[in-house]
Amino acid sequence: MNSNNYVVIMAGGVGTRFWPYSRVTNPKQFQDMLGIGQSLIQITIERFKNICPDENIYIVTNADYYGLVKKQLPQLADEQILLEPTMRNTAPCVAYASYKIQKRNPNANIVVAPADQIIHKLDAFTEALLTAINAAATEDVLLTLGIQPTRPDTGYGYIKVADMESLSKVKKVKTFTEKPNLELALEFLESGDYVWNAGIFIFNVNTITKAFRRYLPDIHGIFNELKEDFYSLKEEESIKKAYSQCHNISIDYGIMEKADNVYVVPCDLGWSDLGTWKSLYEQSPKNKDGNVLSGNIMTYETAKSIIKTPEDRLVVVQGLDNYIVAEYQNVLLICQKDQEQRIKQFLDDAIKQKGTQFS
């Protein structure tokens, strides 16, 4: 195992599309969403066991979630838990981790990944990552993993590959397109030139800091200036000051879509971005009626629904088709599965009309 390999897990989001199960005090990445006895972040960490040692794994999360990380990942030292004082999207998140890792190891190869994805083909995942890491270690390139699309999904970003027919496993990226409409997604699928953007990035630490210097010079200046404070008692206060100066911008928009040295490794990983109730439904085993059930539940004339409720409460459901029923703590949600895009609206309205205790 290469000691120059590092993994950064982005775990700071609230996961509002999974409300009410994902809450401000206990977001989805720290919950057992799949009903297998492990949280999403624990599953994610295991995925990288053949990529780097535990001491080279860094978690970037909200300062409020320090306790959750320590409880679920006790093998990590405090210096491996990077606490964001406020959410500023993924560019500051990646910068914080990259500049901190660079201080410890100026030859580091870094994999950045979200904490809420499902990957079924772990051997293929490891192979694709090692291919990308090798390219990042030997060339001045930024890489991402590209998932072979299986349907014209409008919820994912798409990457156009410049040389899809080449025999190389590492291919030049031509363009990025964020969440196209259905007509465009169909065109992308039929062309054969596009892959889904998995949101998993790979680069050498010197390549990514050079990219920050060129494309996001303000963020580069902020984090480069405080490098002396990393791994010291000054770090917490310095990061608070840094984040107060950072603007809200994603690594995709800030760097990946602008850089001319971006490459992709197309792969089939059995991948899913576990971002919505519908995606959880699609990834979960179903009974004979097409229902996904988690809890103490009895159903009658109910089909194609996902029902997730507390084990200590008997729930009886009759006559629902294609619904989400989710109860957690003080909120019960009943919503048509095809209307799940309104969940964020429901949450916003609940906070305004009923109070922040329901967020």
Side-chain angles (χ1 to χ4, degrees):
M1 191 180 298
N2 191 333
S3 61
N4 286 336
N5 292 349
Y6 288 74
V7 171
V8 175
I9 306 298
M10 298 182 290
V14 177
T16 54
R17 290 180 294 174
F18 264 118
W19 185 76
Y21 212 79
S22 187
R23 309 292 285 271
V24 169
T25 56
N26 193 19
K28 65 177 179 177
Q29 61 267 28
F30 300 109
Q31 298 206 41
D32 179 12
M33 299 300 296
L34 298 173
I36 59 174
Q38 287 182 299
S39 69
L40 292 179
I41 197 169
Q42 289 172 323
I43 298 168
T44 301
I45 291 294
E46 280 195 6
R47 197 176 295 148
F48 293 98
K49 63 184 179 182
N50 295 321
I51 300 299
C52 75
D54 281 350
E55 59 266 27
N56 287 6
I57 293 174
Y58 286 69
I59 307 295
V60 187
T61 190
N62 188 284
D64 292 339
Y65 304 144
Y66 168 79
L68 289 170
V69 175
K70 289 295 288 186
K71 180 179 180 180
Q72 296 193 10
L73 303 172
Q75 70 271 31
L76 301 187
D78 281 359
E79 66 185 30
Q80 296 169 262
I81 305 171
L82 281 56
L83 302 177
E84 296 184 296
T86 186
M87 286 190 283
R88 286 289 186 267
N89 215 316
T90 55
C93 163
V94 173
Y96 182 8
S98 297
Y99 285 86
K100 181 168 180 173
I101 290 170
Q102 188 178 44
K103 180 177 181 180
R104 172 148 292 179
N105 184 346
N107 299 310
N109 307 307
I110 301 174
V111 178
V112 177
D116 58 353
Q117 296 185 340
I118 301 301
I119 293 174
H120 293 293
K121 300 178 182 179
L122 293 182
D123 289 343
F125 175 69
T126 300
E127 180 182 353
L129 267 187
L130 291 176
T131 297
I133 290 169
N134 182 62
T138 55
E139 301 176 58
D140 185 23
V141 292
L142 306 166
L143 299 106
T144 184
L145 299 189
I147 308 302
Q148 297 289 357
T150 57
R151 60 187 183 276
D153 199 305
T154 59
Y156 296 149
Y158 285 71
I159 298 170
K160 185 174 185 180
V161 180
D163 52 352
M164 186 64 89
E165 300 305 316
S166 74
L167 297 178
S168 172
K169 292 182 180 179
V170 180
K171 302 178 187 296
K172 187 82 167 66
V173 169
K174 192 169 184 179
T175 57
F176 287 84
T177 302
E178 183 63 22
K179 297 180 180 178
N181 59 36
L182 182 58
E183 183 180 1
L184 202 53
L186 280 166
E187 288 183 21
F188 290 171
L189 189 65
E190 291 169 359
S191 76
D193 293 332
Y194 289 81
V195 291
W196 287 332
N197 182 2
I200 299 171
F201 305 109
I202 306 96
F203 32 68
N204 180 268
V205 71
N206 298 305
T207 304
I208 190 61
T209 52
K210 184 165 67 174
F212 271 106
R213 186 166 63 247
R214 179 176 179 182
Y215 300 106
L216 292 172
D218 54 337
I219 291 179
H220 163 75
I222 290 167
F223 286 95
N224 191 57
E225 187 177 295
L226 59 82
K227 282 176 68 172
E228 292 304 313
D229 296 340
F230 292 137
Y231 304 100
S232 78
L233 295 176
K234 296 180 181 179
E235 181 173 335
E236 182 178 353
E237 282 306 311
S238 295
I239 287 299
K240 286 180 181 177
K241 181 180 177 181
Y243 269 73
S244 72
Q245 298 171 337
C246 286
H247 58 291
N248 188 310
I249 188 169
S250 70
I251 192 71
D252 303 70
Y253 182 73
I255 292 179
M256 301 301 285
E257 295 180 17
K258 297 174 181 175
D260 56 7
N261 59 336
V262 180
Y263 288 75
V264 62
V265 179
C267 43
D268 176 11
L269 307 178
W271 171 92
S272 174
D273 177 15
L274 202 64
T276 65
W277 284 107
K278 190 174 182 180
S279 64
L280 179 59
Y281 173 84
E282 291 169 350
Q283 289 296 313
S284 302
K286 301 162 186 64
N287 66 12
K288 61 182 177 60
D289 297 314
N291 294 318
V292 174
L293 306 178
S294 176
N296 190 6
I297 301 162
M298 298 169 60
T299 60
Y300 301 86
E301 297 89 48
T302 294
K304 295 178 289 185
S305 296
I306 179 167
I307 306 172
K308 193 171 179 67
T309 56
E311 291 284 351
D312 61 356
R313 184 190 301 274
L314 174 63
V315 175
V316 182
V317 178
Q318 186 274 329
L320 294 186
D321 184 80
N322 206 37
Y323 266 76
I324 300 163
V325 179
E327 181 182 6
Y328 186 74
Q329 294 180 344
N330 55 355
V331 178
L332 168 64
L333 169 74
I334 303 172
C335 173
Q336 291 177 326
K337 190 140 48 80
D338 293 339
Q339 295 292 313
E340 69 167 0
Q341 72 276 6
R342 298 181 63 190
I343 289 177
K344 190 175 186 306
Q345 173 200 335
F346 300 156
L347 170 58
D348 291 343
D349 290 346
I351 294 171
K352 291 175 184 176
Q353 298 175 29
K354 303 295 183 180
T356 56
Q357 70 269 28
F358 299 106
S359 63

